[in-house]
Amino acid sequence: MRKINKHIIHCSDTPKSMSVGAKEINIWHKQRGFSMIGYHYVIRRDGTIESGRMESQIGAHAKGYNSRSIGTCLIGRGEYTKKQFEALKRLSKDLESRYEGIIHRGHYDYSNKTCPMFDVNEFFNTEEL
């Protein structure tokens, strides 16, 4: 079993007009040469949490940090729905219950990117949505 200590939050960088989920991201990642979707979870605009890779599989979402992390992708580009944030909180609490000491961070903490375009640390330290 993998030793997981990070939950890394990403975004799909897609406009509001695009309704995509794990299926479409899987296609995009395969087109880029990956064997399958790089994320473990995708959160659609309606708050639906979709599975990508199995948690037991090493992700392909944050170079140098994949072996010890779970990757979650929010559909959007910096403008997320309340349902997405509620789903992210639920998913994160579930991960916390299964992976002692797991921390939640943005992709920007581990790369030269702005993804997911909100302050992840502040989000997880705030009780309100």
Side-chain angles (χ1 to χ4, degrees), residues 16 18-22 42-50 73-76 79-88 90:
K16 284 183 180 181
M18 286 185 75
S19 178
V20 299
V42 173
I43 302 177
R44 297 181 75 105
R45 293 181 196 280
D46 68 359
T48 301
I49 300 171
E50 297 180 337
C73 180
L74 294 168
I75 299 301
E79 294 181 9
Y80 308 106
T81 66
K82 182 175 181 178
K83 288 182 179 184
Q84 282 179 296
F85 283 127
E86 289 169 347
L88 180 58
R90 278 193 317 276

Side-chain angles (χ1 to χ4, degrees), residues 3-113:
K3 169 73 174 135
I4 304 299
N5 61 10
K6 291 176 182 51
H7 177 208
I8 302 177
I9 316 302
H10 302 261
C11 70
S12 62
D13 196 26
T14 52
K16 284 183 180 181
S17 60
M18 286 185 75
S19 178
V20 299
K23 179 182 175 183
E24 291 80 10
I25 293 173
N26 187 45
I27 292 168
W28 299 342
H29 284 191
K30 284 181 174 182
Q31 289 171 342
R32 291 176 51 203
F34 296 104
S35 62
M36 66 183 302
I37 188 171
Y39 308 114
H40 298 91
Y41 296 99
V42 173
I43 302 177
R44 297 181 75 105
R45 293 181 196 280
D46 68 359
T48 301
I49 300 171
E50 297 180 337
S51 294
R53 287 184 185 222
M54 293 177 55
E55 286 183 15
S56 60
Q57 296 176 291
I58 294 174
H61 58 91
K63 189 174 183 177
Y65 299 92
N66 290 316
S67 66
R68 293 183 159 247
S69 67
I70 297 291
T72 296
C73 180
L74 294 168
I75 299 301
R77 181 187 289 148
E79 294 181 9
Y80 308 106
T81 66
K82 182 175 181 178
K83 288 182 179 184
Q84 282 179 296
F85 283 127
E86 289 169 347
L88 180 58
K89 285 267 187 174
R90 278 193 317 276
L91 174 60
S92 299
K93 287 187 185 305
D94 176 54
L95 294 173
E96 288 169 6
S97 74
R98 294 184 289 116
Y99 299 106
E100 185 178 342
I102 193 170
I103 60 172
H104 311 284
R105 296 291 185 262
H107 188 203
Y108 58 76
D109 287 313
Y110 305 105
S111 71
N112 189 23
K113 299 191 181 225

